[in-house]
């Protein structure tokens, strides 16, 4: 589909131009989003796969956790995809002289930016759904599943038939674990004290959870204490003995509540309980709530900045590479503004409007570039009266 074959039919052509540009932007936006999400997802999935498989987790757990991380990855990728799509579509339409034809019919740069604005609103709506709903829900679920997995002793430590070393000073072995959870033939060698080595053996053991962390209760066993200084061995039989395995399995108990899993309303109206659960102050939570709106705003301006940077260059038979480099530089500026604004707001929560610095900055930059594009001769030197007289 091309604009060069369009006829002049008034309002119908106006709507057709908007639909044409918007469809091109959305198609390329979907393509680049898919590619970037796959790249980010594969990079994260590889690291997560190594950790989960090393902990004895199944492939289903791996797929579940990586799926729960997707909304957060998509939220990172969408503004970048919007920018790349806008730059690609604008560059292609310029190289094929479509923009030149449309501008020759009287369309100003501001008028040409209308479908890009619609595109930005669609991206902002998608970002809003992600940041306000999908990301908090997936983050909350991911935190719960991660906590459940960290407490799964069988997967992380109690693997039957293998000698395991959860730390440099401890060796752990279990011959078998019954379906009821009973452990048979336990062996624990502990050398945390450089002066002695302690070995525990038991015919049966059970894992129980207490207020002080998980405890391994061994039944009908023997404790052998070897004094390395005197080389003397003492043995003690026991009917039941509780061994603290909390340090070995890194069970930290109740984890602080995840701020990412809280709803936007809860962040903007924090309760005392929420502040205690997250360990954050009221102002810090409010800043995090506004940051979600700022992310959606950034999704709106990303494509607009890319389009404005290229349209300001006008038509050139040598291409728009200088303007593409300008657009890339402006994206870097936006990221600097984003990080600077977030840093200011987090250091002083009363300055939370700085969270929107990148959004407003991108809007101002785009408006300035479109204004320059509508006045192509503003930076060109006008001929002097003497030169005009000589030319005549």
């Amino acid at each position: 589909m091309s604009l060069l074959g369009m006829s002049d039919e008034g309002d119908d052509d106006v709507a057709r131009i908007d639909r044409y540009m918007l469809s091109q932007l959305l198609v390329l936006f979907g393509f680049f989003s898919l590619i970037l999400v796959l790249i980010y997802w594969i990079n994260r999935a590889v690291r997560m796969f190594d950790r989960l498989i090393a902990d004895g987790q199944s492939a289903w757990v791996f797929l579940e956790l990586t799926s729960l991380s997707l909304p957060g990855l998509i939220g990172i990728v969408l503004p970048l995809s919007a920018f790349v799509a806008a730059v690609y579509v604008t560059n292609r339409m310029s190289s094929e002289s479509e923009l030149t034809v449309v501008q020759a019919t009287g369309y100003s740069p501001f008028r040409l930016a209308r479908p890009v604005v619609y595109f930005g609103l669609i991206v902002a709506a998608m970002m809003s759904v992600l940041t306000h709903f999908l990301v908090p829900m997936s983050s909350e679920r991911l935190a719960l599943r991660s906590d459940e997995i960290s407490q799964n002793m069988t997967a992380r430590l109690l693997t039957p038939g293998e000698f395991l070393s959860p730390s440099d000073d401890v060796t752990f072995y279990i011959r078998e674990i019954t379906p009821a959870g009973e452990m048979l033939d336990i062996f624990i060698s502990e050398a945390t004290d450089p002066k002695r080595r302690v070995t525990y053996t038991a015919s049966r053991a059970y894992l129980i959870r207490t207020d002080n962390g998980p405890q391994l209760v061994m039944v009908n066993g023997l404790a052998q204490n070897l004094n390395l200084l005197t080389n003397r061995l003492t043995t003690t039989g026991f009917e039941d003995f509780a061994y603290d395995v909390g340090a070995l399995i890194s069970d930290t108990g109740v984890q602080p509540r995840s701020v990412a899993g809280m709803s936007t309303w809860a962040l903007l109206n924090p309760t005392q309980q929420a502040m205690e659960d997250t360990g954050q102050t009221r102002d810090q939570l409010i800043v995090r709530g506004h940051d979600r709106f700022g992310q959606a705003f950034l999704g709106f301006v990303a494509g607009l900045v890319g389009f404005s940077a290229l349209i300001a260059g006008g038509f050139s038979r040598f291409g728009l590479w200088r303007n593409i480099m300008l657009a890339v530089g402006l994206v870097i500026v936006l990221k600097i503004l984003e990080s600077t604004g977030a840093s200011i707001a987090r250091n002083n929560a009363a300055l939370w409007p700085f969270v929107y610095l990148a959004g407003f900055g991108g809007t101002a930059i785009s408006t300035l570039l479109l204004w320059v594009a509508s006045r192509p001769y503003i930076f060109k030197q006008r001929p002097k009266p003497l030169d005009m007289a000589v030319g005549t």
Side-chain angles (χ1 to χ4, degrees):
M1 182 178 181
S2 174
L3 287 175
L4 297 180
M6 292 173 51
S7 61
D8 186 9
E9 299 178 358
D11 294 339
D12 183 60
D13 280 348
V14 171
R16 192 182 304 176
I17 293 172
D18 290 344
R19 288 196 301 268
Y20 173 78
M21 290 189 63
L22 184 58
S23 64
Q24 294 293 303
L25 289 168
L26 290 176
V27 169
L28 271 299
F29 170 71
F31 172 76
F32 288 121
S33 295
L34 178 62
I35 297 300
L36 293 175
V37 167
L38 285 176
I39 293 174
Y40 275 86
W41 182 80
I42 290 174
N43 181 51
R44 177 170 294 186
V46 168
R47 291 180 295 175
M48 188 177 293
F49 179 83
D50 291 338
R51 178 171 59 85
L52 291 176
I53 296 303
D55 288 343
Q57 301 298 330
S58 64
W60 174 253
V61 173
F62 164 74
L63 291 176
E64 180 185 9
L65 295 185
T66 52
S67 299
L68 289 173
S69 67
L70 274 179
L73 291 177
I74 296 173
I76 296 173
V77 164
L78 289 191
L80 181 59
S81 300
F83 167 78
V84 176
V87 169
Y88 186 92
V89 171
T90 308
N91 182 59
R92 185 189 60 76
M93 293 181 66
S94 176
S95 63
E96 295 179 1
S97 301
E98 291 179 340
L99 289 180
T100 303
V101 172
V102 175
Q103 287 179 296
T105 62
Y107 282 75
S108 68
F110 284 97
R111 174 60 186 83
L112 284 174
R114 189 166 75 175
V116 183
V117 172
Y118 294 157
F119 171 64
L121 292 174
I122 293 174
V123 176
M126 296 174 65
M127 288 289 296
S128 297
V129 173
L130 283 168
T131 57
H132 298 303
F133 301 103
L134 296 182
V135 172
M137 288 190 296
S138 63
S139 298
E140 184 73 12
R141 177 61 181 169
L142 182 61
L144 290 175
R145 289 293 290 127
S146 299
D147 186 60
E148 291 174 3
I149 291 172
S150 68
Q151 296 178 11
N152 189 339
M153 310 307 169
T154 302
R156 297 203 58 187
L157 178 65
L158 308 182
T159 303
E162 295 182 15
F163 283 92
L164 303 175
S165 297
S167 67
D168 296 336
D169 303 321
V170 177
T171 301
F172 207 96
Y173 175 82
I174 299 173
R175 181 179 63 82
E176 182 183 354
I177 299 179
T178 67
E182 182 182 31
M183 305 171 201
L184 305 179
D185 296 335
I186 295 86
F187 170 85
I188 302 176
S189 177
E190 182 183 272
T192 55
D193 188 341
K195 297 181 181 179
R196 66 190 184 104
R197 180 181 297 273
V198 182
T199 302
Y200 302 94
T201 56
S203 60
R204 294 179 293 124
Y206 304 89
L207 187 67
I208 62 173
R209 192 172 298 277
T210 67
D211 294 338
N212 297 324
Q215 302 286 324
L216 185 67
V217 179
M218 294 181 282
V219 179
N220 295 331
L222 181 69
Q224 304 177 60
N225 191 332
L226 175 62
N227 190 317
L228 299 178
L229 299 180
T230 62
N231 204 28
R232 182 177 180 181
L233 177 66
T234 58
T235 60
T236 304
F238 55 83
E239 293 184 359
D240 57 79
F241 178 77
Y243 184 82
D244 184 9
V245 295
L248 304 182
I249 58 180
S250 302
D251 190 330
T252 57
V254 179
Q255 299 291 331
R257 184 180 178 184
S258 172
V259 177
M262 296 178 61
S263 67
T264 303
W265 176 260
L267 289 174
L268 296 177
N269 301 274
T271 62
Q272 183 63 35
Q273 184 64 41
M275 290 185 281
E276 293 176 358
D277 292 343
T278 59
Q280 302 282 318
T281 65
R282 180 178 182 275
D283 291 338
Q284 289 174 329
L285 292 177
I286 291 176
V287 169
R288 293 292 294 270
H290 283 287
D291 184 59
R292 294 181 178 179
F293 290 98
Q295 292 298 316
F297 197 177
L298 189 62
F300 168 75
V301 302
L304 190 59
V305 167
F307 171 80
S308 303
L310 268 68
I311 201 70
F315 174 77
S316 173
R317 69 174 70 115
F318 301 107
L320 298 176
W321 294 108
R322 291 183 179 179
N323 294 80
I324 293 175
M325 297 303 297
L326 172 64
V328 173
L330 291 177
V331 167
I332 297 175
V333 171
L334 287 184
K335 295 303 294 183
I336 293 175
L337 291 177
E338 180 187 15
S339 60
T340 301
S343 178
I344 293 174
R346 289 167 185 169
N347 291 334
N348 186 354
L351 300 178
W352 60 263
F354 276 91
V355 170
Y356 303 97
L357 181 62
F360 284 112
T363 303
I365 292 172
S366 300
T367 303
L368 177 61
L369 290 173
L370 291 174
W371 181 82
V372 170
S374 63
R375 294 163 176 79
Y377 302 104
I378 189 172
F379 295 114
K380 293 185 178 180
Q381 185 176 4
R382 296 181 178 180
K384 297 180 181 179
L386 180 60
D387 295 336
M388 294 177 63
V390 171
T392 58

